[in-house]
Amino acid sequence: MFYPFEMERYLETLLGERDPLLREMEEQALQETIPVVTPAVGNFLSLLAAMNKAQSVLEIGTAIGYSTIWLARGVEKSGGHVTTIDMNKDRLSRARGYFQRAGLLEKITALEGDARKILPSLTSGYDFVFIDAAKGEYLDYLKLIDGLIIPGGILVVDNVLFRGWVVPDSNFAPKYERMVGGLRKFLQELCANPDYVTSVLPFGDGVSVSRKAEKGR
Ligand SMILES: C[S@@+](CC[C@H](N)C(=O)[O-])C[C@H]1O[C@@H](n2cnc3c(N)ncnc32)[C@H](O)[C@@H]1O
């Protein structure tokens, strides 16, 4: 493992007490093995969105809405809105329940369906995009969001180091070969893309942060 579990736990202690709703969601996710961002990554998303005073956030991969709530809280003060997409009907309906309990129902639009079909139908410019859905589809999402994210906008992608296996010469089961290969290609393309300045952070499961270039720069 590239990043010790103890380190993530330690970062979590530095966050202090999270509210009971987020705690409940963390427990649910753990019990049902729903892969949600770690609390440290959730806090980072919230901070980054707040720092950028994001107005229009797009999330691909809602699950039960844990990262969505971190994002929505980050942009609450600046009056931002979060649009989130998931193809799993049951998870999305549970996410809506959590949004309501968090008092964020009006700040979040939850769209049900395959992101690869929904993204081409979106028109508005997003200033913050968070990708956290099927790892094998990251390159597809990247192509589809490019026209949606405004110049100067922020793109954050989770799981880009996938348990550290994306690092060359890592040992992992053959069944993960395609996923790891896809993530390596994704990172290569993203980091080499002259329209984005990217930094990869080795915490959580690996998080990339990119800023789309302003026009004419
Ligand atoms: C890792 S979970 C998202 C976790 C969430 N971002 C969080 O941290 O709380 C990934 C989600 O992406 C959804 N998903 C996978 N492929 C998708 C696709 N093509 N379109 C929409 N949703 C997709 C799955 O149903 C799953 O709920």
Side-chain angles (χ1 to χ4, degrees):
M1 186 66 190
F2 74 110
Y3 181 69
F5 182 70
E6 291 73 24
M7 182 85 86
E8 198 68 33
R9 279 277 165 269
Y10 172 63
L11 295 185
E12 199 177 321
T13 64
L14 298 178
L15 298 178
E17 260 311 299
R18 284 175 302 291
D19 73 21
L21 188 71
L22 284 177
R23 276 262 177 234
E24 184 185 320
M25 295 174 85
E26 287 161 20
E27 301 265 313
Q28 279 294 308
L30 196 65
Q31 271 172 26
E32 297 175 38
T33 29
I34 297 170
V36 301
V37 294
T38 64
V41 171
N43 183 64
F44 175 70
L45 286 171
S46 196
L47 174 68
L48 201 59
M51 280 165 67
N52 286 283
K53 296 186 173 58
Q55 289 299 299
S56 199
V57 178
L58 175 63
E59 176 183 60
I60 306 172
T62 322
I64 57 170
Y66 180 71
S67 53
T68 324
I69 289 182
W70 278 106
L71 284 165
R73 288 196 173 151
V75 300
E76 220 173 353
K77 275 203 183 117
S78 58
H81 190 90
V82 181
T83 299
T84 185
I85 306 172
D86 205 292
M87 68 199 307
N88 184 315
K89 193 177 180 169
D90 173 58
R91 284 185 181 174
L92 208 57
S93 115
R94 289 167 66 190
R96 286 191 182 103
Y98 282 121
F99 301 156
Q100 182 161 31
R101 287 174 60 194
L104 291 166
L105 211 49
E106 284 172 13
K107 302 277 173 196
I108 300 170
T109 302
L111 304 175
E112 186 196 321
D114 189 327
R116 291 167 300 175
K117 293 199 176 129
I118 291 178
L119 292 171
S121 70
L122 301 179
T123 46
S124 46
Y126 293 89
D127 53 7
F128 195 108
V129 175
F130 175 51
I131 297 180
D132 185 21
K135 315 307 159 214
E137 297 172 6
Y138 274 15
L139 278 166
D140 297 331
Y141 305 146
L142 187 61
K143 286 188 187 87
L144 291 165
I145 58 107
D146 192 43
L148 295 174
I149 186 164
I150 61 165
I154 303 293
L155 168 66
V156 183
V157 186
D158 193 33
N159 308 107
V160 292
L161 295 175
F162 194 49
R163 304 174 192 180
W165 297 339
V166 170
V167 177
D169 301 325
S170 301
N171 287 318
F172 51 85
K175 66 175 177 179
Y176 293 111
E177 194 77 53
R178 237 179 116 219
M179 196 186 290
V180 170
L183 284 167
R184 283 182 183 147
K185 197 157 180 261
F186 170 79
L187 271 186
Q188 274 161 10
E189 281 204 15
L190 178 62
C191 293
N193 189 327
D195 291 339
Y196 293 85
V197 178
T198 298
S199 191
V200 178
L201 309 176
F203 84 129
D205 198 26
V207 178
S208 71
V209 181
S210 311
R211 183 170 183 269
K212 191 174 183 180
E214 302 276 3
K215 273 194 183 118
R217 293 180 68 196

